[in-house]
Amino acid sequence: QLQLVESGGGLVQAGGSLRLSCAASGRTFSNYAMGWFRQAPGKEREFVAAASASGADTYYADSVKGRFTISRDNAKNTVYLQMDSLKPEDTAVYYCAADRKSRGATTKRTEYDYWGQGTQVTVSS
């Protein structure tokens, strides 16, 4: 019913930038809150950023505040994660997710219904 495909990951040096994109299928994308999560080896999948259906309300993990920006273009069925001032500890697989049942953003992983396949981000020193 809903497919999410991430892109934009790769290898970047510390201090550099990447922009991740998540393209969604379906005509009801604008009704869904969206989030970004990441998972490093040996760790739980953790919250990174979230946006309400309109994109007006956003939330960030403390570890990325001031460096990452979530945004969405509902006309293009796409959510973005702009990552600036990247650090080696940002290295992880990044996943986008959709909460179909709510327009309001949530930081809770279990609230999300659909997940993308993930894209690898590696930050070198």
Side-chain angles (χ1 to χ4, degrees):
Q1 187 175 66
L2 180 64
Q3 185 177 12
L4 306 174
V5 180
E6 302 98 331
S7 62
L11 176 64
V12 65
Q13 289 186 314
S17 298
L18 285 173
R19 189 181 73 162
L20 305 184
S21 298
C22 176
S25 64
R27 296 177 65 251
T28 57
F29 171 78
S30 61
N31 293 330
Y32 309 151
M34 298 291 295
W36 286 96
F37 291 76
R38 67 187 182 187
Q39 188 167 20
K43 296 184 178 180
E44 294 286 325
R45 192 170 299 186
E46 67 177 4
F47 169 76
V48 176
S52 62
S54 70
D57 298 317
T58 58
Y59 301 90
Y60 299 93
D62 288 341
S63 59
V64 306
K65 285 181 179 177
R67 300 189 297 120
F68 291 10
T69 304
I70 187 171
S71 62
R72 61 193 297 164
D73 186 339
N74 287 343
K76 296 181 178 179
N77 280 9
T78 303
V79 62
Y80 305 96
L81 185 68
Q82 177 67 43
M83 304 185 295
D84 298 321
S85 301
L86 283 163
K87 304 175 181 179
E89 52 262 45
D90 294 319
T91 295
V93 176
Y94 284 71
Y95 300 87
C96 73
D99 179 5
R100 293 183 300 151
K101 63 187 182 301
S102 178
R103 295 179 60 85
T106 179
T107 64
K108 190 174 182 180
R109 177 178 54 82
T110 56
E111 291 296 305
Y112 289 88
D113 304 303
Y114 287 91
W115 295 83
Q117 83 287 353
T119 186
Q120 176 71 46
V121 172
T122 302
V123 184
S124 62
S125 300

